[in-house]
Structure formats: C-alpha cells, structure tokens
Amino acid sequence: MTYLTIAMLALLTIAALTKLDLPAGALNLGDFQPVPFLAQLGVAAGYQISWAIYVSDYSRYLPPNAARRTFSYTFWAARSAESG
C-alpha cells in the first residue's frame, strides 16, 4: 500500500501542477509573512511532538533496531497526514 500511495500522490501532484490555474502571484514569495508561517510551523511541530509519547511507550519493548524503524514510520506517517 505504501508504494501505491506514493504513486497516487505523485500522480495527483503532477495533475495539480499541470491542470490547476493558480491566480497571478500565488507562488510569489515577495509577500511572505513570517508570523503566520511560524504559527503554522508551531502547530505542525506540536502535532508531531504529541505523537512522541506513543512511539516511546511502544518502542521500549522492542529491540533497539526496531525502535528506530518505529519512530521513522510514525514520523513519515505524521508528515503525510499534515500535508494531506
């Protein structure tokens, strides 16, 4: 399912970039405002940190090499949930 999801998201990204009409200046970074950006970054970081307790609680019963994989899977799953 992971590879299918990656392929579907890649196709969706390509379709969005080629078919959507963005308003003029939508990708202009000249109007960048750091306060809203940092506020959203704080919300996203808080969401990520809130899952840390589940990873640490679950991973303490696993061998050391499996604990790293568990953290990695949780991190990437949370990243895809934030962007989706």
Side-chain angles (χ1 to χ4, degrees), residues 4-15 80 83-84:
L4 177 62
T5 301
I6 290 171
M8 294 303 294
L9 288 174
L11 289 173
L12 179 65
T13 301
I14 292 168
S80 66
S83 63

Side-chain angles (χ1 to χ4, degrees), residues 12-33:
L12 179 65
T13 301
I14 292 168
L17 291 175
T18 58
K19 301 293 182 187
L20 289 179
D21 290 327
L22 296 174
L27 300 177
N28 182 6
L29 294 179
D31 295 331
F32 177 76
Q33 296 180 5

Side-chain angles (χ1 to χ4, degrees), residues 48-71:
Q48 285 285 107
I49 292 168
S50 71
W51 281 99
I53 58 171
Y54 300 108
V55 175
S56 62
D57 185 53
Y58 177 71
S59 63
R60 69 178 155 168
Y61 301 110
L62 297 174
N65 62 345
R68 181 175 288 120
R69 288 194 335 246
T70 304
F71 176 81

Side-chain angles (χ1 to χ4, degrees), residues 29 31-44:
L29 294 179
D31 295 331
F32 177 76
Q33 296 180 5
V35 173
F37 174 78
L38 292 173
Q40 181 59 40
L41 183 66
V43 169

